Amino acid sequence: MEIKETLDCKGLSCPMPMMKLAKTIKGLNSGEVLEMIGTDPGTKSDLPKWCEKTGNALVEEGEVEAGVFRFLIQKK
Amino acid sequence: MADQKKEPGILQELFNTFFAKHWPVWVGGVTLGLLNILLFTVKSPWGASGGINNWGENIFKLMGISAFENAAPTGTSLYGMLCLLIILGSFAGALFSKEFALRIPPKGELVKGFIGGALMAIGATLGLGCTIGSFFSGVPALSGGAIIFTIGLFAGTIIALKYLIWEMEKFPSFSSGKSFTFLAASEKKGQWQIWLGWIVSIGTFILAYRVAGTNGVLAWFIISGLLMGLICQRSRFCIVKAFRDPFMTGESDGSVGVMAGLLIGLIGFTAIKFFGIGAGETSIRAREMSWVFGQFWLRGLLGGFIFGLGMTVAGGCAVGTLWRVGEGQVKLWMAALGFLLISPISKHYIVPSIVEALPFTTKFKSYLPDYFGYAGAVLIVLAIILIWYVFVKWNERTGKFSAF
């Protein structure tokens, strides 16, 4: 899967990761994939809920290293 | 196969129920509402800004500033200890779920944390309370001033959110750049976090046990603080989120969670006040007026507005800041520092002259049952919560007021 853009939210706490995510996804075309990397545990529950609500697909969710989460989101 | 997971034992499964996943926010709201009622039964409702102010006063006292020499030592201050234990409880919750890490954000975020904390301090000392005392406890306490304070909070939150969005668009570098994460755990790594979680929890129970002989109320506040911090961390209970998210992503879960806590608090607080439960040697009237502050209306409105600005810029309300401190979010360490340093200064040197300038009709104690009776006052609060609920749910469906 081709990653169109990577959004680095490491070190940021609520609400910055979700704000940056919502803004960045706006700039993508339908079907394109955004990679988001972050360290705020809140994102682990906020992001899937937001995807469900907005219809964007959460394609992958995992931990790249201790405490660093990675999400792949495909725009609706 | 070697890596095949074996079924967890019964105790492990119980542990996982609490710490494998975040809890829904409403679970946090309900349990915090219950603990709030219990705090009121034992002594007085939950509050946060007073405790943080106590820390600040003790720091200035240590520095030898005479204006603060009468500050109660934090070890004997109910609310100073409650706030401290909320941090420890969140620390324990984060450790048990292996979510603790020192997360150092880019420099611009640290600056925003400090400024947000300072604004919260000014708002809390001017408006007499924070998102806990004058909202989460104040509204169930049937205080008219708390409702006005809440309106101020909303206004401040919306304006500061507009600022954050503007900053992100115009100066994206302010919230990006070098960041660091230390001490993080993963599924296989960092078992020490769970052990440390046990040490912190057991240590707190020993402390409460030792205090209980001479000061039962303080012992109860210590245990409650630990539980409250843990609940907040697990449910990510945050009042900024409740106010901000409908206008940001349109999310309503945070708001509904807070409403659940308000409802529970409302039932318990009304009973305590109506029957004068726990009045002891004080009058029933004094019990009724608990957590009704002289802030109606302008004092509460101004304070709430400034507090709303601060909590949104900092990314944590009074309690949201405390539990994120325990989780290792260094931006919120700066917010707590700004709060505790500026609060005593604001209280002693800035607020008195402003309050003096305000006429009495803008800063009196307004107890709703005095005007509408108990039934009327409860109905008013219920109606406000219902309108808020309908708004956030409608907004979630339509996105009318959401920025994104």
Side-chain angles (χ1 to χ4, degrees), chain A residues 10-16 18-20 22-23 26 39-42 44-46 49-50 53 63 66-67, chain B residues 22 99 103 105 109 112 164 168-169 175 179 181 184-185 236 241 244 248-249 253 315 329 331 396 404:
Chain A
K10 287 203 294 288
L12 297 179
S13 57
C14 189
M16 301 313 284
M18 291 311 293
M19 261 174 60
K20 290 194 170 201
K23 181 191 167 228
K26 258 190 169 177
T39 54
D40 181 13
K44 283 192 293 184
S45 35
D46 287 346
K49 258 190 277 174
W50 176 81
K53 188 172 93 72
E63 209 166 358
Chain B
H22 292 146
E99 282 181 347
R103 302 172 179 92
E109 288 296 294
K112 265 156 60 186
L164 286 183
M168 185 178 70
E169 307 271 350
S175 54
S179 67
T181 305
R236 311 203 73 75
K241 198 176 164 60
R244 178 199 63 212
M248 195 174 91
T249 52
D253 284 10
Q329 309 269 15
K331 178 182 181 184
E396 191 173 48
F404 299 105

Side-chain angles (χ1 to χ4, degrees), chain B residues 56 118 126:
Chain B
L126 177 62

